[in-house]
Amino acid sequence: MILLVNAYSLNWFGDTDYVGKRYSEVFPMVKENCMLEKLINVAKTGIKANFEKFHSGEGINKWFHFTAVKQDDLLVVTMEDITEQKQSEISLKNALDNAEKQRRLYSSITNNTPDLVYVFDLDYKFTYANKALLAMWGKSEENAIGYGLRENGYEEWRHKMLQSHSLQGRYLHRNQKQGRP
């Protein structure tokens, strides 16, 4: 039997006469989503329960985090609206899935071309080298990525040439951002 609910719960189900009613009468959705069984288990065993449930219906589409604890002869149930957190988690998962799809696509393209494809950072350490370049070097990714031009076998003149081209590219990019030719 319900003895007391907080203001949030009261706003959720309205100004009903809840005192003395069964939890499942006031919150009928607990029968549909296995929540009632969890609450009964806490009441019987005294073992605290934490779980999340999505509720859809009665104009509500929200995620809730529930905590149920037995205290003496009472069952205390708290619920927290975690909809915003869940939406963020779902958005992050979708973004990570899309990034992984893009990574696989680019990897498939760059690793199936005979051309040499590479990326290095501002310190001239390789952050990517395709299979063709690794084969030319006779190295694995572990032995090439994170290492500089010289460590990957480039002669001094090649190092200076690549560094010069890279600096020119940065100079042009900086000037373009500042509106200069």
Side-chain angles (χ1 to χ4, degrees), residues 71-85:
Q71 289 184 338
D72 300 323
D73 289 337
L74 299 176
L75 182 64
V76 178
V77 180
T78 61
M79 68 179 186
E80 176 185 6
D81 183 349
I82 59 169
T83 305
E84 208 171 288
Q85 174 188 337

Side-chain angles (χ1 to χ4, degrees), residues 102-137 139-149 152 154 162:
Q102 286 294 104
R103 188 200 64 74
R104 284 195 312 262
L105 173 66
Y106 294 139
S107 180
S108 176
I109 292 167
T110 61
N111 282 318
N112 288 304
T113 181
D115 297 327
L116 306 178
V117 180
Y118 59 90
V119 178
F120 51 80
D121 63 19
L122 297 176
D123 294 323
Y124 305 100
K125 295 191 184 295
F126 284 89
T127 59
Y128 177 79
N130 72 339
K131 288 181 182 178
L133 184 57
L134 292 170
M136 183 185 85
W137 287 341
K139 293 186 172 190
S140 67
E141 275 189 41
E142 295 80 27
N143 295 328
I145 304 302
Y147 295 98
L149 297 164
N152 279 309
Y154 281 88
L162 285 170

Side-chain angles (χ1 to χ4, degrees), residues 60-75:
I60 297 171
N61 288 308
K62 294 185 176 253
W63 278 95
F64 294 99
H65 177 265
F66 291 90
T67 302
V69 180
K70 184 176 181 178
Q71 289 184 338
D72 300 323
D73 289 337
L74 299 176
L75 182 64

